[in-house]
């Protein structure tokens, strides 16, 4: 394949690229996209329609069940059934019974799904009143009564008559002395109408009885309620959905039938044609841009080689940046870089290498000289301080001489320590020298004490991690307080940890300032005055990672407490 491409002309390569990158991908992409979109939308519409039909089925079932509840309550009431089958002595006897019991027996049966219910009985001593009526021959000839006689079961019969749905329940649960009595419950047709016409099903919905007749629906063209289903005009490409009421005795055989035109399902796909067209345009434009960019890159690479050749003429041996290219331009670039590097290396070996070697020797000598200076300067400072101290002793200024001795000790200690870790004893000696100098400065205004367990003294800690916190306590805490300042340092060992606590009775700090300081120690924000504390905290974190504990508690005008807990070092640390 590579050999074939190498023998092709550039024009033929670009033409082949256009066919493979533009024409074929656009045709395949649009065909696959359109088919997949059509199938996905159709499946989604079918799922939505099935869900909407089942929701309508549940809503209709809730309305019917409300009527069934009323029916069963009358059917199961033995007192009510025995009362309406009783032979009343006179009309007054019945009126009294009606007013005392029958009138309010089922006053609470007013539910949303029930429009009205009526109890019928052929008891000759019962008068027609309120929801109780006589079961006459005229009533027996009505359509709803005729439909109810087709079923002799103990559960209600669901029928459609006189443009409304009703439940007919025979009240024969108790001995009625051959008196026929039943209850007719008319459902709330307004609620049923709202359920059908407000359904989310995008099509026509029919309620079909067990005999296959359409009894109700949201089809405005349906004028006869008992139209056989086969006479309903369905769309040519109709999608049908069925939701039968199975397992429900009083609704056995009733079915919700949904009819949807497949053209309406695919309507959204047709609306997306413009999007498909735009996508096709993008598929044309993008590969065209790619081809133009590739053509331009060929020209740019040739021009770049020419420019670098001219630079070599001016003794600028800059190579062309490496790129993965195996065509003629790529091979030419590789060979040009190889030639340039060879010429450049020959010149470097003969002339430049010797100059760099001499320059390196000179820099090494300068580094040694700076090292000697850095050793001489501290010793000169120590000798000068010692001369001032001896002069103070000769003049009888013993206190000044003592302070100069402490200063020299503080300068000498950090320099003489050859390791990053020192004993607690050495750290406390340095802190005591600092506090002596501060006591000389403040006089009777400063008092300090160091309370240390003897077991602590020989344990090793990073050098100068406690002194910055002591310095902060004396300068920022004690200096600004008008009262006598007291600094106390505690150190002890508990189990496998070294514990240090620093207390002062200085000015403390407000909560917001304390929070700002703690954030400064954890992050890289710059407060500008506590660089030493930040350095000490950072070195503790560097040495102990997450194994050390640090806490600071301060109140405005009430001093500051700092606690540091470090793990005991198992081995002697290496020299820093």
């Amino acid at each position: 394949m590579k050999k074939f491409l190498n023998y092709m002309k550039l024009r033929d390569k670009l033409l082949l690229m256009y066919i493979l990158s533009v024409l074929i991908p656009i045709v395949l992409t649009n065909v696959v996209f359109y088919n997949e979109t059509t199938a996905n939308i159709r499946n989604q519409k079918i799922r939505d329609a099935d869900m909407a039909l089942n929701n309508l089925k549940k809503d209709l079932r809730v309305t019917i069940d409300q009527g069934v509840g009323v029916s069963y309550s009358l059917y199961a009431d033995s007192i009510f059934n025995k009362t309406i089958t009783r032979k009343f002595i006179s009309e007054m006897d019945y009126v009294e019974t009606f007013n005392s019991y029958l009138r309010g027996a089922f006053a609470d049966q007013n539910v949303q799904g029930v429009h009205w219910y009526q109890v019928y009985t052929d008891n000759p001593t019962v008068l027609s009143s309120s929801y109780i009526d006589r079961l006459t021959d005229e009533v027996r000839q009505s359509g709803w009564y005729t439909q109810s006689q087709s079923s002799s079961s103990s559960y209600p019969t669901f029928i459609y008559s006189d443009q409304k749905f009703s439940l007919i329940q025979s009240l024969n649960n108790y001995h009625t002395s051959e008196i026929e009595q039943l209850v007719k419950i008319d459902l709330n047709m307004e609620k049923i109408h709202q359920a059908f016409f407000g359904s989310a099903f995008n099509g026509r919905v029919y309620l079909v009885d067990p005999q296959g007749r359409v009894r109700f629906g949201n089809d405005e063209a349906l004028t006869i309620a008992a139209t056989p289903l086969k006479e309903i005009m369905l769309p040519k490409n109709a999608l049908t959905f069925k939701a039968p009421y199975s397992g429900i005795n009083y609704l056995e055989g009733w079915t919700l039938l949904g009819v949807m035109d497949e053209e309406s399902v695919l309507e959204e796909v047709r609306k997306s044609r413009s999007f498909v067209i735009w996508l096709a345009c993008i598929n044309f434009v993008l590969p065209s841009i790619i081809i133009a960019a590739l053509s331009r890159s060929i020209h740019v690479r040739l021009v770049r080689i020419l420019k670098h050749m001219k630079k070599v003429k001016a003794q600028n041996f800059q190579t062309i940046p490496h790129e993965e290219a195996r065509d003629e331009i790529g091979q030419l670039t590789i060979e040009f870089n190889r030639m340039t590097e060879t010429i450049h290396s020959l010149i470097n070996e003969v002339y430049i290498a010797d100059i760099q070697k001499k320059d390196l020797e000179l820099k090494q000598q300068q580094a040694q000289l700076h090292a000697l200076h850095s050793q001489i300067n501290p010793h000169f400072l120590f000798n000068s301080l010692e001369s001032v101290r001896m002069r103070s002793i000769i003049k009888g200024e013993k206190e000044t001489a003592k302070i100069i001795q402490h200063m020299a000790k503080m300068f000498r200690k950090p320099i003489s320590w050859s390791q990053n870790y020192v004993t607690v004893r050495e750290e406390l000696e340095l802190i005591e020298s600092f506090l002596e100098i501060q006591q000389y400065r403040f006089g009777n205004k400063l008092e300090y004490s160091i309370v240390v367990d003897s077991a602590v003294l020989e344990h090793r800690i990073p050098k100068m991690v406690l002194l910055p916190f002591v310095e902060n306590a004396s300068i920022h805490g004690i200096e600004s307080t008008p009262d006598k300042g007291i600094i106390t340092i505690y150190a002890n060992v508990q189990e496998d940890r070294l514990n240090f606590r620093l207390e002062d009775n200085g000015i403390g700090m407000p909560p917001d300032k304390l929070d700002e300081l703690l954030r400064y120690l954890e992050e890289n924000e710059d407060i500008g005055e506590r660089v030493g504390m930040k350095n000490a905290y950072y070195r503790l974190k560097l040495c102990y990672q997450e194994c050390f504990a640090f806490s600071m508690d301060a109140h405005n005008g009430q001093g500051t407490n700092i606690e540091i807990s470090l793990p005991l070092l198992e081995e002697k640390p290496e020299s820093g």
Side-chain angles (χ1 to χ4, degrees):
M1 184 65 180
K2 291 182 179 179
K3 185 176 181 180
F4 171 74
L5 293 176
N6 290 336
Y7 280 102
M8 287 183 65
K9 294 182 179 180
L10 184 59
R11 181 186 60 187
D12 297 332
K13 286 183 179 180
L14 295 178
L15 180 60
L16 179 63
M17 188 188 314
Y18 183 81
I19 294 173
L20 296 178
S21 300
V22 179
L23 292 181
I24 295 178
I26 286 176
V27 173
L28 293 179
T29 300
N30 286 289
V31 170
V32 173
F33 177 81
Y34 188 84
N35 290 337
E36 285 294 319
T37 303
T38 303
N40 291 336
I41 293 180
R42 187 177 186 276
N43 294 335
Q44 183 62 44
K45 284 288 186 179
I46 291 174
R47 288 193 295 268
D48 294 344
D50 189 67
M51 184 182 298
L53 191 65
N54 280 286
N55 289 336
L56 176 58
K57 174 185 174 183
K58 293 177 183 178
D59 294 341
L60 185 59
R61 170 76 185 280
V62 170
T63 302
I64 298 173
D65 283 350
Q66 290 175 349
V68 173
V70 176
S71 173
Y72 281 153
S73 64
L74 291 170
Y75 180 77
D77 193 332
S78 60
I79 298 176
F80 176 80
N81 283 272
K82 291 178 180 179
T83 301
I84 62 175
T85 58
R86 176 183 133 196
K87 298 293 184 180
F88 293 94
I89 301 173
S90 63
E91 292 182 357
M92 185 57 66
D93 183 21
Y94 173 78
V95 171
E96 290 177 357
T97 303
F98 180 84
N99 291 331
S100 62
Y101 172 71
L102 295 177
R103 181 189 298 275
F106 295 95
D108 58 344
Q109 296 297 340
N110 185 18
V111 292
Q112 291 182 354
V114 176
H115 175 69
W116 179 252
Y117 66 93
Q118 191 78 29
V119 176
Y120 293 92
T121 178
D122 59 358
N123 184 352
T125 62
V126 171
L127 301 178
S128 296
S129 55
S130 186
Y131 63 92
I132 300 176
D133 202 355
R134 293 286 298 277
L135 184 58
T136 62
D137 294 337
E138 182 182 355
V139 174
R140 286 189 173 95
Q141 294 175 1
S142 62
W144 63 267
Y145 182 87
T146 304
Q147 293 185 50
S148 68
Q149 294 306 302
S150 61
S151 175
S152 60
S153 58
S154 59
Y155 49 81
T157 302
F158 182 68
I159 65 171
Y160 183 84
S161 178
D162 299 329
Q163 297 185 349
K164 59 178 176 290
F165 287 104
S166 302
L167 290 166
I168 312 300
Q169 172 73 60
S170 179
L171 302 178
N172 57 1
N173 191 27
Y174 300 93
H175 180 65
T176 60
S177 302
E178 298 181 354
I179 293 176
E180 182 182 2
Q181 53 193 28
L182 53 86
V183 60
K184 177 176 178 286
I185 301 171
D186 296 332
L187 299 181
N188 190 339
M189 292 304 296
E190 182 179 355
K191 188 173 182 180
I192 295 176
H193 184 276
Q194 290 176 355
F196 271 80
F197 285 87
S199 173
F201 187 88
N202 187 20
R204 289 178 284 174
V205 184
Y206 303 102
L207 182 58
V208 184
D209 65 9
Q211 288 73 37
R213 295 170 298 184
V214 176
R215 290 296 187 176
F216 194 81
N218 62 354
D219 189 357
E220 298 289 349
L222 184 64
T223 57
I224 303 176
T227 304
L229 180 60
K230 60 184 179 180
E231 296 181 9
I232 299 295
M233 295 295 294
L234 300 179
K236 183 178 180 181
N237 298 322
L239 298 175
T240 58
F241 305 83
K242 288 186 178 181
Y245 285 97
S246 57
I248 307 172
N249 48 23
Y250 51 88
L251 290 176
E252 191 67 33
W254 288 83
T255 303
L256 271 176
L257 179 67
V259 179
M260 182 182 294
D261 190 356
E262 190 174 14
E263 292 298 321
S264 65
V265 173
L266 300 178
E267 183 179 357
E268 293 188 12
V269 178
R270 295 186 176 89
K271 290 181 180 178
S272 62
R273 285 179 178 175
S274 58
F275 173 76
V276 175
I277 294 174
W278 278 106
L279 184 62
C281 292
I282 293 175
N283 288 338
F284 275 109
V285 172
L286 187 60
S288 300
I289 294 175
I290 294 174
I291 293 174
L294 291 174
S295 301
R296 182 179 179 275
S297 69
I298 295 174
H299 173 73
V300 169
R301 291 162 64 197
L302 290 174
V303 172
R304 182 173 56 183
I305 293 176
L306 180 60
K307 288 183 178 179
H308 280 77
M309 294 177 108
K310 292 180 179 179
K311 290 181 180 179
V312 171
K313 182 179 179 181
Q315 296 186 359
N316 184 357
F317 300 99
Q318 183 180 359
T319 59
I320 302 174
H322 177 71
E323 60 181 2
E324 293 293 337
R326 295 183 178 271
D327 58 357
E328 294 81 359
I329 300 177
Q331 293 179 5
L332 181 60
T333 302
I334 293 173
E335 294 301 326
F336 174 80
N337 287 340
R338 187 178 301 166
M339 179 189 67
T340 303
E341 290 174 352
T342 302
I343 297 174
H344 192 204
S345 62
L346 289 174
I347 295 176
N348 287 339
E349 289 175 0
V350 177
Y351 298 105
I352 300 178
D354 185 63
I355 296 174
Q356 289 180 344
K357 182 178 178 180
K358 292 182 179 179
D359 184 63
L360 181 61
E361 291 176 354
L362 179 61
K363 289 182 179 179
Q364 289 178 347
Q365 293 176 357
Q366 291 177 348
Q368 292 176 356
L369 181 61
H370 284 305
L372 290 174
H373 287 170
S374 63
Q375 292 178 359
I376 293 172
N377 289 338
H379 289 288
F380 175 77
L381 177 62
F382 298 148
N383 292 334
S384 299
L385 289 173
E386 183 63 20
S387 299
V388 175
R389 187 180 73 86
M390 293 303 299
R391 178 64 178 172
S392 300
I393 293 175
I394 293 173
K395 295 180 67 176
E397 297 175 353
K398 296 182 178 181
E399 187 177 6
T400 302
K402 182 180 178 182
I403 294 304
I404 294 174
Q405 184 180 14
H406 285 304
M407 290 179 61
K409 186 177 181 180
M410 288 192 65
F411 283 124
R412 188 183 300 272
K413 275 284 185 181
I415 297 175
S416 63
W417 285 341
S418 61
Q419 296 177 339
N420 288 330
Y421 290 81
V422 297
T423 63
V424 176
R425 183 193 303 276
E426 292 174 316
E427 181 77 7
L428 292 178
E429 287 177 355
L430 186 65
I431 290 174
E432 189 172 7
S433 297
F434 174 77
L435 290 174
E436 285 291 333
I437 295 173
Q438 296 300 313
Q439 200 170 42
Y440 174 76
R441 173 188 176 187
F442 292 112
N444 295 331
K445 185 180 178 181
L446 175 63
E447 179 180 322
Y448 73 89
S449 61
I450 302 176
V451 182
V452 183
D453 291 347
S454 58
V456 177
L457 296 176
E458 300 306 319
H459 286 289
R460 306 182 75 83
I461 60 174
K463 63 182 180 181
M464 295 186 71
V465 293
L466 300 178
L467 180 60
F469 297 103
V470 177
E471 178 187 6
N472 185 74
S474 62
I475 295 177
H476 296 286
I478 302 302
E479 182 178 3
S480 301
T481 183
D483 301 323
K484 183 177 182 179
I486 300 175
I487 297 177
T488 307
I489 302 172
Y490 299 92
N492 59 20
V493 178
Q494 289 184 351
E495 297 180 355
D496 59 345
R497 298 189 71 83
L498 280 173
N499 299 316
F500 300 94
R501 188 169 81 254
L502 171 64
E503 298 180 355
D504 69 73
N505 65 340
I507 61 172
M509 65 185 76
D512 56 340
K513 192 68 175 178
L514 176 62
D515 293 339
E516 184 181 5
L517 178 58
L518 292 175
R519 284 197 306 270
Y520 164 71
L521 293 179
E522 287 289 343
E523 303 172 359
N524 291 324
E525 297 178 2
D526 185 15
I527 292 179
E529 297 180 354
R530 297 178 173 87
V531 178
M533 289 178 62
K534 175 67 176 181
N535 179 271
Y537 185 85
Y538 177 77
R539 287 190 293 114
L540 285 173
K541 196 169 186 179
L542 189 65
C543 294
Y544 296 99
Q545 303 297 327
E546 303 298 330
C547 297
F548 85 100
F550 177 87
S551 64
M552 177 180 290
D553 185 24
H555 299 281
N556 198 15
Q558 299 181 12
T560 304
N561 294 335
I562 298 177
E563 295 187 5
I564 301 175
S565 178
L566 308 176
L568 295 178
L569 296 176
E570 296 181 358
E571 299 180 359
K572 184 177 180 180
E574 298 180 357
S575 299

